[in-house]
Amino acid sequence: MPKTIETPLGTIAVSEDVIATTAGIAAMDCYGLVGMASRKQVKDSLSELLGRDNPGRGVEVRIRDDEVYVDLYIIVSYGTNIYEVAQNVREKVRYVLNESIGIAVDKVNIFVQGVRVTTEH
C-alpha cells in the first residue's frame, strides 16, 4: 500500500519500494555500516544472479493508516560502537526520507544481524 501525500495541487503516491530504496541508500552512507542483511533470501539471490543492484536490500517498510515504519537489518564493522552506528543510521534514514520524499517516519527499527571484520592493507 503506497504512502499518499495530499497537496493543494493533487495527490502523490510513493510506493514502499521507493521508500525502502531511499532508506537503504541513506543507510549505506553511514560510518561503521558494512552492509545490509538480506531479509528476502530468494528475491535477493535472484537479483544477484541476474546482476541487478538492490539498494533496498535489508529494508522493510510498513505503512499502516497514516504511519510509516522502517525496519533496517544491518551488518556493522568490528571495532565500532554498535549503538552509535545504529543511532547514526536511524537519524540519517529519518532525515533523508523527510527531506527527499517528504515523509515523516514514525519508527525506524534497527536490527544488527552481524559484525564483520574488515581487512585493510
Side-chain angles (χ1 to χ4, degrees):
M1 176 173 157
K3 170 72 174 163
T4 57
I5 304 167
E6 297 292 330
T7 69
L9 299 175
T11 303
I12 300 169
V14 181
S15 77
E16 292 169 343
D17 287 340
V18 171
I19 297 170
T21 300
T22 305
I25 292 170
M28 288 304 297
D29 278 346
C30 294
Y31 174 78
L33 188 77
V34 175
M36 305 298 283
S38 177
R39 298 303 298 160
K40 299 172 185 167
Q41 294 288 335
V42 175
K43 181 180 174 186
D44 286 338
S45 296
L46 183 60
S47 293
E48 288 173 12
L49 183 65
L50 297 175
R52 293 187 193 147
D53 193 21
N54 187 2
R57 175 185 190 165
V59 182
E60 289 183 13
V61 177
R62 296 183 316 276
I63 301 171
R64 293 197 189 115
D65 300 327
D66 208 21
E67 297 180 340
V68 178
Y69 302 97
V70 178
D71 295 339
L72 294 153
Y73 298 86
I74 66 173
I75 300 170
V76 299
S77 176
Y78 176 78
T80 59
N81 184 325
I82 295 173
Y83 176 79
E84 288 297 322
V85 172
Q87 287 297 93
N88 289 340
V89 169
R90 175 179 286 127
E91 292 305 315
K92 173 88 177 207
V93 167
R94 182 172 275 151
Y95 175 80
V96 167
L97 288 176
N98 191 24
E99 291 297 313
S100 65
I101 301 178
I103 293 176
V105 180
D106 295 285
K107 283 193 178 183
V108 177
N109 300 309
I110 308 289
F111 300 94
V112 179
Q113 298 292 96
V115 177
R116 185 168 302 155
V117 177
T118 56
T119 56
E120 295 181 17
H121 297 280

